[in-house]
Amino acid sequence: MTKKNQFWRGVLLGALAGGAISLLDKQTREVMKENVQKTTTKVTYIMKNPGEITDKVKETAEKLKTTVKQVSEDISYITDKVEELRDITPQVTDILKETKDTFTKSDEEILLNEVLGEEEKIQ
């Protein structure tokens, strides 16, 4: 035998020995017995009802497909909105600057009129 085969053979024998030793504990044996019974019951059910299992797999696959499609549409929608925001942001910035300039000019004009108006009153 090659060394590679001997390695895997040793791993397998070690696993079997470890499993056998662990079964010396009564609680471990009981848990293993329950697990084997549950697994046997499930496998028997699957063997007797393959159509039902197939239908469940198909149904789950369809739900997954629908979910992926919905997520894809949501991502596309969000991407479009982000692009819109990128386009709108400079326009909003320009509008805000213009508004600020308008109000600032108005304030300056009011102050200038007040100062000029007071000078006219003084004369």
Side-chain angles (χ1 to χ4, degrees):
M1 279 193 196
T2 65
K3 289 184 179 185
K4 188 175 184 180
N5 287 342
Q6 288 177 356
F7 171 77
W8 289 113
R9 182 178 176 195
V11 169
L12 179 62
L13 290 175
L16 289 173
I21 291 171
S22 68
L23 290 176
L24 293 176
D25 179 47
K26 183 176 181 177
Q27 185 178 3
T28 302
R29 283 194 311 270
E30 290 173 2
V31 169
M32 287 301 298
K33 180 181 175 184
E34 289 174 18
N35 287 339
V36 168
Q37 287 174 345
K38 287 179 185 178
T39 303
T40 303
T41 303
K42 288 180 182 180
V43 169
T44 303
Y45 179 80
I46 291 170
M47 297 292 282
K48 289 181 180 179
N49 303 298
E52 184 178 335
I53 303 303
T54 304
D55 290 343
K56 285 183 180 181
V57 169
K58 287 179 181 178
E59 182 181 325
T60 302
E62 190 61 35
K63 285 180 181 178
L64 181 62
K65 182 180 174 183
T66 303
T67 302
V68 167
K69 183 178 178 184
Q70 183 64 44
V71 168
S72 176
E73 290 173 0
D74 291 347
I75 289 172
S76 177
Y77 176 78
I78 290 170
T79 302
D80 290 345
K81 290 301 175 185
V82 168
E83 288 300 319
E84 285 180 26
L85 283 173
R86 285 184 181 162
D87 293 341
I88 291 174
T89 301
Q91 295 171 358
V92 171
T93 303
D94 291 343
I95 291 171
L96 287 173
K97 284 180 182 177
E98 289 174 9
T99 304
K100 179 184 172 192
D101 290 345
T102 301
F103 281 112
T104 303
K105 289 178 183 175
S106 296
D107 292 343
E108 290 173 357
E109 289 175 7
I110 291 170
L111 286 173
L112 184 61
N113 287 337
E114 286 179 5
V115 170
L116 290 176
E118 287 181 12
E119 287 181 5
E120 290 177 2
K121 290 179 184 176
I122 296 174
Q123 293 176 352

